[in-house]
Amino acid sequence: TGPLTPGEWVWQAGPRESVALFGASGGSARAALRCERASRRIRIERAIEQPVSGQPPLALRTSFALRSVPVTGQVASPPMLSAELPASDPLFDQMIYSRGRFVIEGGGQVPIIVPARPEIARVVEDCRS
């Protein structure tokens, strides 16, 4: 799949949201998982480096499978494609237990290859409990 995209995961939690952000230190997030606790849904976001027409799906490649997820919107700042799934979706377990990494593709953008780290599990656990 290629080398890891430079950066690390950082976890943040508040009363309504639990978030794992991936990016280089001091830079904008390249990817994010956001749990909205009230709805028990997790939003998957990935950075947009170039303009995107329409709403192409995100593709998430783990060591278990390749899964296409419909984009539900775009985040303005920083510009990101966004897809939302119930916290109970097995895709999140596949991301957590993927062998060292998983890939977020979509919208004609350069694939983001991120490490599978505990921050992802924290967001999923927060959303499921």
Side-chain angles (χ1 to χ4, degrees):
T1 56
L4 289 172
T5 301
E8 283 297 325
W9 287 101
V10 176
W11 175 70
Q12 303 170 348
R16 289 187 260 174
E17 184 175 74
S18 178
V19 181
L21 301 168
F22 179 82
S25 180
S28 296
R30 303 281 317 263
L33 291 178
R34 297 180 185 276
C35 161
E36 295 178 18
R37 290 185 171 126
S39 65
R40 293 187 189 263
R41 295 184 68 78
I42 297 176
R43 212 169 54 231
I44 304 163
E45 299 172 352
R46 67 140 297 145
I48 303 169
E49 293 89 16
Q50 55 195 2
V52 174
S53 61
Q55 297 216 350
L58 290 182
L60 289 106
R61 184 183 311 271
T62 68
S63 56
F64 298 94
L66 171 63
R67 170 104 176 260
S68 182
V69 181
V71 166
T72 54
Q74 292 188 25
V75 177
S77 181
M80 293 192 161
L81 292 176
S82 174
E84 192 175 301
L85 294 168
S88 59
D89 194 294
L91 174 63
F92 298 114
D93 296 301
Q94 293 172 0
M95 291 164 67
I96 292 166
Y97 296 109
S98 191
R99 290 190 193 115
R101 64 182 64 198
F102 61 93
V103 181
I104 307 171
E105 303 173 280
Q109 309 296 307
V110 173
I112 298 173
I113 304 170
V114 297
R117 296 283 192 261
E119 292 81 359
I120 299 162
R122 289 179 119 172
V123 170
V124 174
E125 288 171 13
D126 284 349
C127 232
R128 289 179 176 170
S129 58

